[in-house]
Amino acid sequence: MTKTALRSTILLPVFLPAVFIILLLVIGTSSNPELAGQAFSVALAWITETFGWFYMLSVAIFLVFIVSVAASSWGNIKLGPDHAQPQYSFGEWFAMLFSAGYGVALLYFGVAEPVLHYASPPSGAAETVDAAKQAMQIAFFHWGFHIWAIYGIVGLVLAYFAFRHGLPLSIRSALYPLIGDKIYGPIGHTVDVFAILGTLFGIATTLGLSVTQINAGLHYLWPNIPINTTVQITTIAVITAAATLSVVAGMDKGVKRLSIVNMTLAVSLMAFVFFIGPTIHILESFLQNTGSYLSGIVERTFNLQAYSRSDWIGNWTLFIFGWTIAWAPFVGMFIAKISRGRTIRQFVVGVMLVPTIFTFLWFSVFGDTALNLIMNEGFDTLIGDVQANHAVALFQLFEVLPLSFFISLLTVILIITFFVTSSDSGSLVIDSLASGGNINTPAWQRVFWAVLEGAVAAVLLVAGGLSALQTMTIASALPFAVIMLIATAGLWRALKIEGHRDTSLQAHSLNGRNIDLSHWKRRLAAMVNYPNKEKVHTFIGSVVVEAMKAVQAELKSRQWHAVVEFDTDLGRAHLTVLRHEHVDFVYDIRLTEHPMPSFAYSELRPNNDNNDNNEMYYKADVFLRRGGLSYDVYGYSEDDIVKDILDQFENYLHFLGNSPGELPWDMAEHDDMLNTDKA
């Protein structure tokens, strides 16, 4: 019992430097908050002025790259074996995506950002129709495709290398095509340390924003509760405790359930404001602003206000993009964890298009409702209230709507649940990074990181409020932006290698197999008779195994090491040609179960002699190292099987001879079909 309780998966070369840097910052900040606040201000100004262009260029590269990959033939590649299926339904997937990604940000900025830009636009006259249009276009730009490209590129990198190649679910894995096994050394450790720091400070920023808004909501509901640091720190402590309980529960029981609750509450709140507010105006502005966003996306992407120096770009665009980059390891890894089995194209469309449309609708509902009240209903006091305290924006809007107390209470609950899901899923991710990509970590480690996140948020909040959190976010994002660019290059190289493999696999098409025509009647019978489990199992254990042993013996005579295995429980025959300096050749025949097709006549269905389900039939499917090829060899003769093995082996040799690099291609851990069979 004691050994289980004290079990650890911590990777010390990553854990110790990360914790040391975090504790050093926390102790230094808490010992002299005023000096720390001044240092944060100076650091923020320097980073903004010196590296603003780098942030904007990096984000543009991420967006162009991920869209290009999805649109290319690489978009068909599975994040896992070729036969893998998505682990979660689309609804569950999007709910977790949304909750982890930026639910808190939408609640905080949904009203505040459009109102603030309307009152103080980066260019042009304030409080005009043009200012209102500009305000909404800026909000769309800040929360549109760009931030999801950042999240998406990290998620895609992690999911591809982990589920497609069996590498650790860690940022270091993206460097494998560039440095090979050195990812397990100091370079890989350093990358993960920066990922931990960026993630932790990004989450701390989110927690800081959350508690200020929760405090504002509680004060609105119960005026006796003051708006001050004491209340906010108490809130951090209470909700961190709730996040700790969720993180102990794990992904499915804790994070998934809370995410679904979050999504339900958020959609309910948005629907209420949509129907109570200026519905037609919201729809009109949604379409118009979306069009304006798309038409001006290139210009805004590269706009750094080079000819009109101000701190606006640093306080808004660079902060939001830096915050997103800091969050990218966390959100990216979280997205990767829940995206196994999807194609790259499904991943990119789901991660970028759906959340972006939802975001645009959210800002249209809340932001345009607020602007409409200011411009057409004379609700001018909202501007001053929001400028004085960004966190009160949403609650001030609710004052002019029916059931204001009820929907304000609902909003506070929603912020709290978003807070909890951000903290618990962030703790899961950081713990995984600190464990070298291990996803099966003990509960006490996850609790440690959840508590540390809350402590960092509290200390930085005391030291310099949101400006301190903002500074740490942008600062921690700088080194990780460099790492993301290197990871993008690593992914591109890996996809090039995968492209060479596809070319090799197509060198000899399936239709071009030199099958002995003397056995065509046997093959035809196998195609139309829908065999039962016993027949296919016997076929694999006899004909397939003998064919594999024949190839093994011939290879052995030529000094090639090959192994043949047969798993009677799974009905799986396995031929492996071992090449220690290169990726091994794998030829796998598995017994697979399939529903009887609707066009099959009843007389063609398999006999139910052994209590097999007569609604199912069985195949002897071919699997290579990257997954199933979706063709059946039941009914082949021994010579036919040998010839098919040689065809695939020839493709393998062609790939080795032409590949521009090496990848592990180890998918056994993420082989759903195999794992299901084992269970």
Side-chain angles (χ1 to χ4, degrees), residues 74 77 160 489-503 655 658-661 663 665:
W74 293 334
I77 296 171
Y160 175 80
L491 178 60
W492 176 80
R493 182 167 174 80
L495 292 174
K496 291 284 288 184
I497 297 171
E498 179 119 24
H500 279 270
R501 182 173 180 88
D502 289 340
T503 302
F655 167 67
N658 293 275
S659 176
L663 287 170
W665 298 99

Side-chain angles (χ1 to χ4, degrees), residues 11-43:
L11 185 62
L12 291 178
V14 176
F15 178 84
L16 291 178
V19 172
F20 176 76
I21 294 171
I22 293 166
L23 291 179
L24 191 67
L25 178 71
V26 168
I27 295 170
T29 302
S30 57
S31 61
N32 196 334
E34 292 184 5
L35 182 62
Q38 294 173 4
F40 290 147
S41 299
V42 173

Side-chain angles (χ1 to χ4, degrees), residues 6 17 76 287 295 337 456 484 524 543 575 577:
L6 296 177
N76 298 318
L287 291 175
S295 66
K337 280 186 173 183
V456 171
M484 284 180 64
L524 178 61
V543 177
L575 169 67
V577 181

Side-chain angles (χ1 to χ4, degrees), residues 329-405:
F330 152 46
V331 180
M333 187 176 295
F334 186 77
I335 294 172
K337 280 186 173 183
I338 62 178
S339 300
R340 181 166 58 91
R342 300 187 182 276
T343 66
I344 289 178
R345 186 171 295 112
Q346 289 172 342
F347 176 91
V348 173
V349 171
V351 168
M352 290 189 62
L353 187 61
V354 178
T356 298
I357 292 173
F358 185 89
T359 301
F360 291 175
L361 189 58
W362 182 278
F363 272 98
S364 297
V365 169
F366 290 94
D368 272 308
T369 298
L371 292 178
N372 182 70
L373 288 170
I374 295 171
M375 298 171 68
N376 300 320
E377 305 293 334
F379 193 40
D380 297 335
T381 56
L382 181 61
I383 296 176
D385 292 335
V386 174
Q387 287 176 329
N389 185 354
H390 302 353
V392 305
L394 197 57
F395 301 104
Q396 292 295 331
L397 174 65
F398 292 156
E399 278 195 355
V400 299
L401 300 179
L403 305 173
S404 60
F405 183 88

Side-chain angles (χ1 to χ4, degrees), residues 587-652:
Y587 184 88
D588 200 354
I589 303 291
R590 301 184 192 177
L591 175 72
T592 60
E593 185 182 69
H594 304 271
M596 185 67 66
S598 59
F599 56 79
Y601 293 103
S602 58
E603 59 266 25
L604 299 179
R605 300 191 177 200
N607 295 325
N608 196 19
D609 299 331
N610 295 307
N611 295 320
D612 289 338
N613 186 353
N614 62 4
E615 297 299 320
M616 310 299 292
Y617 76 105
Y618 296 82
K619 291 182 178 181
D621 278 333
V622 177
F623 287 72
L624 299 182
R625 196 172 184 93
R626 72 172 194 173
L629 294 185
S630 300
Y631 71 91
D632 180 17
V633 296
Y634 179 75
Y636 282 26
S637 69
E638 185 177 323
D639 287 343
D640 294 338
I641 300 290
V642 169
K643 290 171 183 176
D644 191 59
I645 294 173
L646 294 182
D647 281 342
Q648 297 297 352
F649 188 60
E650 187 174 10
N651 295 340
Y652 161 80

